[in-house]
Amino acid sequence: MEKEKKEDSFMMKLATLIVDKRKGFYLVFMVLIIFSIVNMNRVKVNNDLTTYLPDTTETRQGIDLMDEQFITYGTARVMVCNITYAEAEELAEELKEFEGVSMLDFDDSEECYHDMEALFDITFAYEAEEPEAQECLDSVLERLSSYDTYYSSDIGQEERDADDLDNDMIIILVLAGVVIVAVLLFTSTTYAEIPVYLMTFIVAAILNKGSNYWFGTISFVTNSIAVVLQLALAVDYAIILAHRFMEEHEDKDAREAVIVALSKAIPEISSSSLTTVSGMVALMFMQFRIGYDMGIVLAKAIVLSLVSVFLLMPGLLLTFSKAIDNTHHKSFVPKITMVGRFCVHTRYIVPPVLVLVVIAAFVLSGKARYVYDVNTLESNSMSENKFSVSMVNQEFGTVNQLAVLVPNGDYEKEGQVLRVLADLPEVSSCMGLSNIEAMDGYMLTQALTPREFSELIDLDVEVADLLYTAYAVDSSNYGALVNGLSEYKVPLIDMFLFVYDQKEGGNITFEEDLEEMLTEAYSMISIARNQLLGEKYSRFVLELSVPVEGDETYAALDKIRAAVAEYYPIDEVYLVGNATSNKDLSDSFSTDNAIITVLTALFVMTILLFTFQSAGLPVLLVLTIQGSIWMNFSLPYLLDEPVYFLGYLVVSAIQMGATIDYAIVITSRYTELKVYMPIKDAIVETLNQAFPTIVTSGSMLVAAGFIISNVSTNAVVAAIGLALGRGTLTSIALVLLALPQTLLVGDIIIEKTAFTIKHDLNKALPTSGRIFMNGHVRGYVNGVIDGEFTGIIDGEMGAVVRAKDTVEMMDAGNSKETPPKLLDLSISEEGEVTDNEK
């Protein structure tokens, strides 16, 4: 008891400090807001999900190698509609001459022209991230502006995606703000509390968004949904404090009411936030590191929301206290007594049905079609850029490109591998230095003698001999000089580059025509070399005829890897592309799913174990919410919709961590009320008391999910929003329509597995009518009283009374003529009730 008083005293002192120093906290928050606003635009947003792949994956290692050793030039697939082939061919020739256009592929095949639609496959002379590449693309699109044109390009893609997401977020936040205000108007009891909520939410959101600067870079997924989820997840904390203030303000002045309310709310809100934070922490253990990115940002969002509620909101409540007093109104949230009665009547029906439904949902969710490629998804709304890309892909198909990295140095072996790969039915085309034609049927890597080289470029054989001699000396191959130059062969690409370097160095001069030819050849060869020849590796570029993901695709990857492994050590071969990325994500999905499911359940159950001090109750609650998760992801199977794997992982953690709070609210109130009244009446009253809290928080989270789903033009973000909206709705339905029956039927399990079984001298006496009390009573009497009481209660009573206190129930009889029958109910030291008729 002394310990409790000390803790209460500490909380009161802390609350008093926060309230009395509110102006100082206002100043601190103003400084933090300015800091956050300044740093918001300095946060880098990463639009490439592959960067979050584990370092041990083949795709991640291959991408790192390609970034180090190769140059990837910007490309664009430009579709021109309603054009004849002759016009398209003429236009292609014109575009080839544009500055910055290094290559343009177009012919009369179905892959390039059909149904009055032409596809120009353009490669520019600049890397995709260089501003010159964007300028070249803009000039091409400007030339085609008079045509019905669509394009797909990696040039400027991140900027376009970022702009689209920024535009989406403005709309999402506006709509979410409207919904939040509408919900608060519906569920609040005073209008002036709404500005307090909004200011607290906005400050917390600004602090979280600005403090992302600490991390340097965050993912586009996190950046898109963090603010909305923060508002929806943390709304409970502000509501709890405000409701506490309203209760205390009934018999205390505003300052004292805020202090007492805050002292009581801090431990309550802190414990409530633990389950939500635990879900975010579970995300951080994912192998796919975007989970860490989302988990740490959202966990920080919850913490900053707590900081805002604890340190800022008390001052706002005191500042707005007069306005709050003057704007009271009736709450529009209805009683749901009928739902409670339904739960009582179906208590033996719903639990077994729920078990069967959960088992079926578990099976069906496992059969859902999980997808890993972003291009497989479709969002309800499309930006102009996304629509353009979809039109190109719809008419000419999606390009499934695969890069194969092998150790370089042996052009002949590379040529053999390319020929083997080209014969595979899963490969539409493949390109490497060894199968690119230079001129007159000679391949770039084909080795030529001096005479063959002289004939190819129309050069005197004596000059060719001199060039070959210089090349042999430069490469320290003196054996070629000893054995004679006539049979000395040098790969064409190496000889071209050597000759060009000699020309640029002024060591040799050529006639104008030959010099122009060498310059053009060098330009083409250097582009090919930069893309396909690295310091230690050569790169083959394949186009696959299989989908970007699926068993057929993954089998094709294994087949390609096996073919290349016939010529190179398997541990020195890397396959890189959307297909390999999807394969890596598919492989990590089952592990990440298990990690999130187990850790989230473990964290939440541990918290509930200490909260309710019962071993059985946490299991019932976690199984209920886990059942809602399985039901949520069985719906796509029934609707034949794809499930984006990241949406499943993220929403599973959020749904368990956040919506378990609804189950906790129901359970907490039920365990309190069942002490004072029959369990059937307790569950009905529980639902009436818990419904305002659940409908406020739940409706915001549901609305946030569906708004994100329908507004976001990014398919990944939209998929997460849809899963979140459905999942929250499912959890609310189970908590209101199935959990009460589970608690009623499982009440005996809860009691038997409780850690503290109370065999004290107190006894619950549920009754109704006219009751005479003399002594200490704590319980439900059309409300709850706790104190010394002497008098008559006319109504319903469910209370705990102290041993040896007197409880007399007065029976009014059947008519006015019948004298009242007075019952004396006393309690022995053993807690037994004695009914002494008087």
Side-chain angles (χ1 to χ4, degrees), residues 47-84:
N47 291 284
D48 185 5
L49 289 178
T50 61
T51 58
Y52 296 98
L53 287 168
D55 293 336
T56 55
T57 60
E58 180 182 24
T59 303
R60 182 70 263 154
Q61 293 174 358
I63 289 175
D64 291 341
L65 276 176
M66 290 198 300
D67 290 341
E68 292 171 8
Q69 301 193 26
F70 301 94
I71 293 177
T72 302
Y73 292 102
T75 60
R77 300 172 76 209
V78 182
M79 182 177 75
V80 180
C81 303
N82 303 314
I83 187 173
T84 65

Side-chain angles (χ1 to χ4, degrees), residues 298-316:
L298 290 175
K300 176 168 62 69
I302 300 301
V303 171
L304 290 174
S305 295
L306 290 175
V307 169
S308 299
V309 169
F310 291 158
L311 302 182
L312 175 65
M313 190 174 173
L316 295 176

Side-chain angles (χ1 to χ4, degrees), residues 49 221 286 288 290 294 644-651 716 720:
L49 289 178
V221 180
M286 284 173 54
F288 188 33
I290 196 171
M294 295 189 67
Y644 188 54
F645 83 104
L646 187 58
Y648 181 91
L649 295 174
V650 171
V651 173
V716 173
I720 293 175

Side-chain angles (χ1 to χ4, degrees), residues 330-348:
K330 181 180 179 182
S331 175
F332 303 108
V333 180
K335 295 285 186 180
I336 56 170
T337 304
M338 293 300 295
V339 175
R341 291 173 181 168
F342 165 80
C343 293
V344 171
H345 292 312
T346 60
R347 63 188 182 280
Y348 296 118

Side-chain angles (χ1 to χ4, degrees), residues 649-700:
L649 295 174
V650 171
V651 173
S652 293
I654 293 176
Q655 192 174 342
M656 175 61 77
T659 63
I660 193 75
D661 282 349
Y662 310 152
I664 293 173
V665 169
I666 295 277
T667 307
S668 297
R669 293 186 184 273
Y670 169 71
T671 53
E672 290 175 4
L673 292 175
K674 75 174 184 175
V675 177
Y676 312 130
M677 60 179 66
I679 59 174
K680 296 178 185 178
D681 297 337
I683 207 68
V684 174
E685 183 61 26
T686 292
L687 290 176
N688 280 328
Q689 292 185 19
F691 184 65
T693 301
I694 294 174
V695 75
T696 302
S697 175
S699 59
M700 288 184 186

